Amino acid sequence: MKSGVMLAAAAAACGFNLFALGASAAGAPPGVDQAAQGGQIGGRVACEDVGLSRVLVQIPGRSFSARTDADGGFELSYVPPGLWTLVFEKDGNVIHTLANIQVDVRS
């Protein structure tokens, strides 16, 4: 069986828990537009409740990317408000895509 097929089958049993935090103008230092700084997208990638490390999480076409830690956790910071798609890759193979991730500006 090819590794890409095995990864695709494994992805069906994997969990992609996600949170998106908006930028807040209330917490910004004086003179800094927090909305311009962006928000955060983070979460945990796990299969059968075991965190997957070294998974590349990225927003296609943008410079936002991170690798999951030993527990499968990741965080993308300074993401501008808007709707985003996340792509998850392991060993060069796309294992999952999540679309319509909303990052809002909070006041």
Side-chain angles (χ1 to χ4, degrees):
M1 182 180 282
K2 294 182 180 178
S3 63
V5 175
M6 291 182 347
L7 285 171
C14 294
F16 297 86
N17 299 320
L18 187 68
F19 65 85
L21 301 175
S24 173
V32 174
D33 178 8
Q34 185 66 30
Q37 297 295 315
Q40 297 175 327
I41 300 173
R44 182 171 186 258
V45 178
C47 281
E48 298 178 5
D49 206 33
V50 176
L52 292 178
S53 64
R54 308 279 309 147
V55 173
L56 176 64
V57 182
Q58 62 183 338
I59 297 175
R62 302 296 295 248
S63 61
F64 301 102
S65 66
R67 291 247 181 219
T68 57
D69 61 22
D71 295 322
F74 72 92
E75 186 174 295
L76 301 173
S77 298
Y78 307 108
V79 179
L83 281 176
W84 300 102
T85 296
L86 294 182
V87 174
F88 298 82
E89 293 182 21
K90 180 75 172 171
D91 301 325
N93 296 293
V94 174
I95 59 172
H96 197 68
T97 301
L98 289 175
N100 299 317
I101 308 302
Q102 180 72 48
V103 176
D104 293 317
V105 176
R106 296 180 289 162
S107 54

